[in-house]
Amino acid sequence: MRLLALLPLLAVAAAHVEHTEHLERRAQPGVPTPKPVDLRPLEWGDVNVISTTDTHGWLSGHVKEAPYSADFGDFASFLSHMREQAVHRRKDLLVVDSGDLHDGNGLSDSTPLNGQVSDPIFAKVLLPRLLAVYFEIATAFSRRGYSLRITIFLCSLLKKTIDDALAVGNHELYVNEIAQSTYKTFAPKWGKRYLTSNTFIRDAATNKTVPIGKLYNKFRMKFGTRVMSYGFLYNFVGAGSDVVLQNANDTVALPWFKKSLKEDVDMYLVVGHTPVRWAETLAVIKAIRAVHPAKPILLFGGHLHVRDFIRYDARAYGLSAGRFMETVGWMSVKGIHDRKCRVETNCIGKNLTVSRRYLDTNVHTYKTHALAHPKQRFDTWRGRKISQEITHARASLNLSNALGCAPQDYYLSRYPITDTRSLINLVANEVLPLVVDSTKKNPAIVYVNSGSQRFDVYKGPFTIDDTYIVSPFHNDFIYTTVPFKVAKSILAGLNKAPFQKRAEHKAPVPAKNATLTPGYVTKDDYGYGGDDWPHSAIPYVSAPNYVSSPLPTGLADDALVDIVWLSFFSNLVGPILKNLDPANTYNFSTYRTDIDTNTMWTQFVKAKWSGTKC
């Protein structure tokens, strides 16, 4: 306890040293930056929330895209300044994350265990050590000319302003080893703040099924707001055998949940890897409303990779903050401490004042909203160190090493698959044919789900990092041999089957403005106006759920063909074959052991793009 009491003083002393040290701009090497524009000030309320979701390992930022070029060190500096603002304004500030930390970037996926490097970096940003927080705030206050006594006092307030909440995502749970690592290593770092109200795991030591994190957490924020928080995951299938997922409808009927609703709080916080409009989310809102008809409810969801905001009723709202660290969500709420609402029936239907904003993740955005004045230094000591750690990690993992040079841009969803600018067109007609094993006697047709491809390819160096960005999943190729007559109908059968997906995407609203850069144009329950940066909308064209390599030519219907597909949707192929050829039984085997959906890109780029110069 004596050491804790000394922390503010130690931080202030260190801050005066830091004040004389020049802090350099720490962007990841070579990243582009956007042309600055004027941005509207954020609205602050009684309670304010900074939200992220579906980061999928993009802690380096988007090194090829200017609008989203800030890295997690920049985000750490942003959070530090926003926490400082909250203290000055005497407003409560929360930082929340809705899960899915892996599968999408080399920083998280190129290690033997997903998240081995990225999870500790993530934790350093959202879970700073107490001395580091004191240090940062003391630095800021000393730069403003505050006296030593006032600086020490303000620092002492900060230890109660780090009220974070996190939820688990489905991508932490597909593989038992990763799920166990989340349970044993990642979740304990957060204590009561890592919330898994309906997600459990078999503890290998005790053989008991236990929550991965905490079922709920009640806490009081610095400026008096009393919060009851939960963390929910949508009802997904495909989790590792050690994971047990409970339906949200069942969870809200349990004694512990009902008991938690009897606690005296000012608001309810639900942080979950659940789309804000899905049934699981509505079930939680309904259960709270059945007991508390007027208590404020703030919900932060994810999974669909979209910006969205919903008004459930006059006193309940939800927000989803996009994907891949392209977006930081902001919500502010006024009216939570209305004295009249201490008797809930007085406030049924009485509107809260709620604002939302979707922030593009670049340094200009962060500086504009976080700094008290334009000449204030943005970089913090901790932010700089995190950026350096990311740079070193990328170098040690060789993520910037170029495998070849992409001759043009290929887009996942801007063009129809018949267009040569379509990434799915490239996959079907050029990448998949290289999966075919030329040593086998039969010709082959290769099928993949379009959802296995996750991002655009940009003209220029195609790096090791890009293999994980474009195609992060390590799905094996499975095959069987069938008559060509049957093979010709497999693709149609797959596209009629239920779509097995890890995420869904919503088309942006069309807009035309030649003076704006392409980006998000979001319509939500408040209409337009939530996007912080003005953009022209990016065209969206849907693709078939499944595609294949070109059919072999010149074959008779009874000729034998190898059909090759991904292990991810192997459960669909058996019923389709049974329907097409009920007289025969087919056995499935691994097609190749030297290639999967991630390494097929390495093979393709080395074969087709390695001879070109960027």
Side-chain angles (χ1 to χ4, degrees), residues 99-232:
D100 266 11
L101 307 184
H102 313 140
D103 294 333
N105 194 282
L107 196 66
S108 62
D109 304 344
S110 63
T111 48
L113 192 70
N114 281 9
Q116 193 170 321
V117 167
S118 60
D119 281 358
I121 295 173
F122 185 95
K124 287 179 181 178
V125 172
L126 292 181
L127 187 65
R129 293 179 180 177
L130 195 57
L131 179 57
V133 175
Y134 285 149
F135 171 79
E136 292 170 4
I137 304 302
T139 301
F141 288 150
S142 66
R143 287 173 183 158
R144 290 188 174 195
Y146 284 94
S147 69
L148 182 64
R149 178 178 296 178
I150 294 177
T151 302
I152 293 173
F153 170 72
L154 291 173
C155 281
S156 69
L157 298 180
L158 262 294
K159 71 186 181 76
K160 290 188 178 181
T161 67
I162 312 171
D163 297 310
D164 303 310
L166 300 91
V168 70
N170 55 298
H171 282 266
E172 284 86 273
L173 304 176
Y174 283 111
V175 179
N176 280 336
E177 289 77 10
I178 297 172
Q180 290 288 351
S181 176
T182 300
Y183 166 59
K184 295 176 182 177
T185 306
F186 189 71
K189 294 179 179 180
W190 306 92
K192 295 180 179 180
R193 289 173 285 184
Y194 197 76
L195 301 164
T196 60
S197 301
N198 68 330
T199 313
F200 304 83
I201 195 166
R202 183 183 61 83
D203 188 305
T206 64
N207 205 34
K208 294 181 179 179
T209 300
V210 297
I212 293 176
K214 299 300 180 182
L215 296 175
Y216 64 96
N217 180 32
K218 179 185 176 183
F219 60 94
R220 180 189 290 269
M221 300 178 70
K222 173 57 196 169
F223 295 105
T225 308
R226 299 166 301 168
V227 182
M228 178 63 73
S229 57
Y230 309 99
F232 280 86

Side-chain angles (χ1 to χ4, degrees), residues 110 392-402 463-465:
S110 63
H392 295 155
R394 287 180 58 83
S396 66
L397 296 170
N398 300 314
L399 296 182
S400 296
N401 287 11
T463 64
I464 291 175
D465 196 18

Side-chain angles (χ1 to χ4, degrees), residues 152-348:
I152 293 173
F153 170 72
L154 291 173
C155 281
S156 69
L157 298 180
L158 262 294
K159 71 186 181 76
K160 290 188 178 181
T161 67
I162 312 171
D163 297 310
D164 303 310
L166 300 91
V168 70
N170 55 298
H171 282 266
E172 284 86 273
L173 304 176
Y174 283 111
V175 179
N176 280 336
E177 289 77 10
I178 297 172
Q180 290 288 351
S181 176
T182 300
Y183 166 59
K184 295 176 182 177
T185 306
F186 189 71
K189 294 179 179 180
W190 306 92
K192 295 180 179 180
R193 289 173 285 184
Y194 197 76
L195 301 164
T196 60
S197 301
N198 68 330
T199 313
F200 304 83
I201 195 166
R202 183 183 61 83
D203 188 305
T206 64
N207 205 34
K208 294 181 179 179
T209 300
V210 297
I212 293 176
K214 299 300 180 182
L215 296 175
Y216 64 96
N217 180 32
K218 179 185 176 183
F219 60 94
R220 180 189 290 269
M221 300 178 70
K222 173 57 196 169
F223 295 105
T225 308
R226 299 166 301 168
V227 182
M228 178 63 73
S229 57
Y230 309 99
F232 280 86
L233 178 61
Y234 77 100
N235 302 325
F236 89 103
V237 295
S241 58
D242 289 350
V243 177
V244 177
L245 182 64
Q246 198 172 60
N247 190 296
N249 283 302
D250 297 331
T251 301
V252 298
L254 293 176
W256 73 260
F257 187 85
K258 292 180 177 180
K259 182 179 179 181
S260 72
L261 296 178
K262 296 178 181 179
E263 296 283 347
D264 187 15
V265 296
D266 299 309
M267 59 166 277
Y268 288 91
L269 173 70
V270 183
V271 180
H273 196 74
T274 304
V276 295
R277 300 177 187 270
W278 278 18
E280 295 93 329
T281 299
L282 300 180
V284 178
I285 299 290
K286 182 179 179 181
I288 297 173
R289 275 289 169 259
V291 180
H292 295 287
K295 280 284 173 68
I297 304 171
L298 305 186
L299 186 142
F300 296 87
H303 182 61
L304 292 191
H305 295 185
V306 296
R307 295 177 172 185
D308 199 9
F309 174 82
I310 181 172
R311 178 187 184 274
Y312 300 107
D313 61 40
R315 304 181 68 78
Y317 297 83
L319 183 140
S320 180
R323 62 168 193 173
F324 303 161
M325 280 308 294
E326 294 170 344
T327 304
V328 169
W330 171 263
M331 185 191 291
S332 68
V333 186
K334 297 178 183 177
I336 286 180
H337 299 300
D338 189 334
R339 292 179 179 272
K340 295 180 181 178
C341 297
R342 290 180 179 177
V343 178
E344 277 196 64
T345 53
N346 292 341
C347 288
I348 295 175

